[in-house]
C-alpha cells in the first residue's frame, strides 16, 4: 500500500492532489448518490453560500434524481445572482507563439505536428494584434504561448507584456493582461508579477496523474508534479491571483472536478487564498485532433452540472468559459455560474490583425462561437446580462486575500456594478453598433437608478456624463 498520505497543507503535489483521496471521494459519491438525508444536508449548506467540500461536491456531481438536479441549478443560479449580479466580464485570448517543445496529444501545437505553420509574433506584430483587439473594444487579455525555452523565453513574454500595456490606440487600452504560460520557477513568477500581470493562469489539463502522463508523453510539461505545484511557486513568487482549470474530456470528469476543488482547498489552506478563477474548457476539434479519440468527452448536460457544482463549491471564484463553447452551451452555463466570457476570439497566432478564420491551420482549436464581440455584447444585453470591461481590482491593489475578503463579505459588488456600467458605457461610445448602443444605453439607465448607495450612484452618474463627453477610465 502507498505510504503517501493526503495532506491539504503539503507542498508536494502527490500529497495535496492525493490519488487515494480522490478515488475514495468518487467511491463515497457513488455510494451516496441516492442518500436523501445527506443530499439535503449538502444542499442546505450550499444555500448558505460559504462553499462545500470536495467530497460534498462529488456527491452533487453524482446525483441522478432530476428534481435534485434542478435544485442544484437553482442554488447555483441564486448564488451567482447574489455575488455577481447580472455582470459578465469580457476578455480575449492573444496567442504570441505556437512553437512548442511539449507533446500534449490533444493540442495541435505539440512538437511532432509537422503540418501546422509555426509562428512567433514580433513586437511590431504584437502591436498590430493589440490595436485590432483595442478596436474591437477589449480591455482585458489572456496572453497565451506554447512552451519553447529558446523561441519564447520569459524575456520575450515580459517584453510582450510591456508592449501590450504601452499601446494606446484612439481611446483603447489593454488594462489587464492575464498570462497563461508554462509552469516556471519562483523567480520567473516574480518577474511576471513585477511586469504587472493580472492573473497567472495554468490549466492542470487533467488531475489524474496516470492519464496526465499518458497525455503528456514528452517535454517539460510531462513532469506532473512540477506542473501541479506551479500555482504554489506562483504564490511564493508574489502572484496572488491564480487561475486553475481542467480540460474536460481528457479523462474522467468526476476525477477532475474533485481535483480542481482539492487544488482550491490546498491553495486556501497553504496561502490563505484560493484560485481567483476556474476555467472549464472542453476538448474541441483542431488540426490533427479528433475528439472521437477522447471517449471521456462530456455532454452539454454534464457540462452544465459541472459548472453549477463548481459555482456552489467555490462561490467567490470567477468562472471562465471560452469561445470553444457554442452559443447554446454558453447560454446554459452562464445561467448557473459562469462569470467571464471571451468574445470575438482568434485562436491562431496573428489572427486578429489578419482576421483569419478560426479553422485556420494554425489555430489551437476550432471555435464554436464565431460571433464578433459586438454581437456577443448585444446577445448578452438581450439575455439581461451586463457585459463588463472592468479591470479595476488589480489596478486598485484588490488582489489575493484583499479581494477574497471583500468578496466573501459580499462587498465587492459595490465596486463591480458601477464599474460594469461605466466600462460598458465606454464600449458603447467607442465601439458599439447603433443597435447595441441603444440596448446598452437602456440597460445603463435602468441599472444606474438602482445603485443602492446614494454616494456611489451620484459619482457613477457624473462619470457616465463625463464618458459621453469623451473622458475615460473611471473606476471604483
Ligand atoms: Fe504546447 Fe500548450 Fe499545446 Fe501542450 S497544450 S502542446 S504545452 S501549446
Ligand atoms: Fe472584477 Fe473587481 Fe471589476 Fe468586480 S470590480 S468586475 S471583481 S475587476
Amino acid at each position: 500500500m502507498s505510504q503517501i498520505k493526503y495532506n491539504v497543507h503539503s507542498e508536494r503535489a502527490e500529497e495535496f492532489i492525493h490519488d487515494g483521496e480522490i478515488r475514495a471521494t468518487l467511491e463515497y459519491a457513488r455510494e451516496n448518490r441516492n442518500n436523501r438525508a445527506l443530499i439535503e444536508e449538502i444542499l442546505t449548506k450550499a444555500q448558505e453560500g460559504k462553499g462545500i467540500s470536495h467530497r460534498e461536491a462529488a456527491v452533487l456531481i453524482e446525483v441522478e434524481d432530476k428534481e435534485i438536479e434542478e435544485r442544484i441549478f437553482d442554488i447555483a443560479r441564486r448564488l451567482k445572482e447574489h455575488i455577481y449580479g447580472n455582470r459578465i466580464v469580457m476578455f480575449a485570448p492573444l496567442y504570441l507563439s505556437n512553437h512548442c517543445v511539449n507533446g500534449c496529444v490533444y493540442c495541435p501545437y505539440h512538437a511532432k505536428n509537422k503540418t501546422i505553420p509555426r509562428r512567433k509574433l514580433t513586437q511590431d506584430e504584437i502591436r498590430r494584434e493589440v490595436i485590432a483587439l483595442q478596436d474591437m473594444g477589449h480591455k482585458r487579455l489572456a496572453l497565451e504561448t506554447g512552451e519553447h525555452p529558446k523561441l519564447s523565453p520569459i524575456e520575450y513574454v515580459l517584453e510582450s507584456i510591456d508592449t501590450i500595456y504601452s499601446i494606446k490606440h484612439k481611446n483603447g487600452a489593454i488594462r489587464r493582461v492575464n498570462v497563461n504560460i508554462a509552469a516556471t520557477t519562483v523567480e520567473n513568477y516574480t518577474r511576471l508579477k513585477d511586469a504587472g500581470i493580472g492573473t497567472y493562469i495554468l490549466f492542470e489539463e487533467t488531475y489524474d496523474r496516470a492519464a496526465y502522463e499518458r497525455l503528456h508523453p514528452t517535454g517539460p510539461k510531462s513532469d506532473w508534479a512540477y506542473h501541479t505545484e506551479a500555482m504554489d511557486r506562483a504564490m511564493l513568487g508574489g502572484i496572488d491571483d491564480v487561475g486553475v482549470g481542467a480540460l474536460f474530456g481528457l479523462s474522467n470528469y468526476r476525477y477532475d472536478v474533485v481535483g480542481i476543488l482539492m487544488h482550491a482547498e490546498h491553495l486556501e489552506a497553504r496561502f490563505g487564498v484560493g484560485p481567483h478563477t476556474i476555467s472549464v474548457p472542453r476538448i474541441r476539434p483542431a488540426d490533427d485532433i479528433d475528439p472521437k479519440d477522447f471517449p471521456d468527452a462530456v455532454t452539454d448536460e454534464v457540462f452544465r452540472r459541472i459548472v453549477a457544482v463548481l459555482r456552489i463549491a467555490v462561490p467567490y471564484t470567477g468562472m471562465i468559459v471560452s469561445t470553444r463553447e457554442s452559443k447554446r452551451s454558453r447560454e446554459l452555463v452562464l445561467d448557473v455560474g459562469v462569470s467571464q466570457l471571451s468574445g470575438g476570439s482568434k485562436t491562431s497566432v496573428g489572427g486578429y490583425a489578419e482576421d483569419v478564420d478560426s479553422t485556420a491551420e494554425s489555430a489551437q482549436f476550432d471555435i464554436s462561437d464565431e460571433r464578433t464581440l459586438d454581437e456577443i455584447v448585444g446577445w448578452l444585453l438581450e439575455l439581461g446580462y451586463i457585459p463588463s470591461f472592468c479591470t479595476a481590482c488589480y489596478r486598485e491593489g484588490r488582489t489575493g486575500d484583499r479581494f477574497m475578503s471583500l468578496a466573501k463579505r459580499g462587498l465587492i459588488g459595490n465596486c463591480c456594478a458601477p464599474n460594469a456600467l461605466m466600462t460598458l458605457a465606454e464600449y458603447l461610445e467607442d465601439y458599439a453598433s447603433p443597435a447595441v448602443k441603444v440596448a446598452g444605453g437602456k440597460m445603463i439607465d435602468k441599472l444606474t437608478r438602482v445603485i443602492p448607495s446614494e454616494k456611489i450612484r451620484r459619482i457613477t452618474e457624473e462619470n457616465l456624463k463625463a464618458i459621453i463627453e469623451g473622458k475615460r477610465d473611471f473606476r471604483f
Side-chain angles (χ1 to χ4, degrees), residues 173-184:
I174 299 302
R175 298 173 181 158
R176 178 176 178 124
V177 180
N178 297 331
V179 171
N180 181 356
I181 62 163
T184 185

Side-chain angles (χ1 to χ4, degrees), residues 28 32 35-49 51-53 56-57 59-60 68 71 75 312:
Y28 170 80
N32 285 292
N35 180 340
R36 247 350 241 238
L38 176 70
I39 292 166
E40 289 299 336
E41 219 176 90
I42 298 172
L43 292 178
T44 304
K45 185 173 169 195
Q47 276 162 351
E48 288 164 16
I52 57 175
S53 70
E56 292 163 336
V59 174
L60 296 189
I68 293 177
R71 286 171 63 197
I75 294 170
I312 287 173

Side-chain angles (χ1 to χ4, degrees), residues 282-287 289-291 364-368:
R282 273 194 291 181
I283 197 93
R284 292 283 306 148
D287 177 78
I289 306 299
D290 185 345
Q364 194 189 24
F365 55 82
D366 291 1
I367 284 173
S368 283

